[in-house]
Amino acid sequence: MSDCLFCKIIAGDIPSNKVYEDDLCYAFYDIDPQAPTHFLVVPKAHIASVAEVTGENEAVVGHIFTVISKLTKELGLESYRVVSNIGEQAGQSVPHLHFHVLSGRDMTWPPG
Ligand code: 5GP
Ligand code: ZN
């Protein structure tokens, strides 16, 4: 999607601090980290949010979780939180599916 911030990051039109990349997904550090380690994992194909996941595109979501499991081990993260915000009220500010991976500090529950 030409006007999507994360599509531009994936395409390299906007610079990012890359963690990992393969054919299906791209991982990069958040520009405004909310924990000592905070990166985002996004599908390369534009999907607006979890609300747009269907039987047609669900495989990439499983793949992203495999990548998160692998990357966190490589980074030595034993405890971490994976978050995806859907819609404005939940705090979604970029309408391209993304999973936040946050680690390195105590976290509260319920989330704010
Ligand atoms: P959301 O608010 O949609 O759940 O998460 C979007 C995330 O993208 C936010 O944590 C925000 O800091 C991050 N973000 C917004 N613009 C950029 C950018 O240009 N580069 C990077 N690396 N992260 C961004
Ligand atoms: Zn996009």
Side-chain angles (χ1 to χ4, degrees):
M1 242 190 145
S2 57
D3 62 345
C4 169
L5 175 67
F6 286 174
C7 283
K8 287 179 184 162
I9 285 177
I10 293 160
D13 296 339
I14 293 174
S16 63
N17 192 357
K18 182 167 92 173
V19 181
Y20 173 84
E21 178 176 19
D22 63 26
D23 288 349
L24 294 176
C25 71
Y26 189 78
F28 57 105
Y29 286 104
D30 198 291
I31 202 168
D32 181 21
Q34 301 300 312
T37 300
H38 182 181
F39 61 87
L40 305 171
V41 190
V42 308
K44 285 191 169 174
H46 181 87
I47 300 170
S49 76
V50 167
E52 305 302 320
V53 174
T54 66
E56 303 273 295
N57 60 20
E58 66 187 3
V60 73
V61 178
H63 177 70
I64 283 173
F65 275 84
T66 301
V67 166
I68 290 171
S69 177
K70 181 172 161 274
L71 288 179
T72 48
K73 286 181 181 72
E74 286 174 5
L75 293 169
L77 308 176
E78 289 178 1
S79 184
Y80 54 91
R81 186 171 287 179
V82 180
V83 176
S84 191
N85 299 317
I86 297 99
E88 262 179 55
Q89 191 177 27
Q92 183 177 12
S93 59
V94 180
H96 181 125
L97 177 64
H98 50 282
F99 294 91
H100 297 258
V101 179
L102 302 127
S103 184
R105 64 166 170 82
D106 293 339
M107 295 190 193
T108 57
W109 193 263

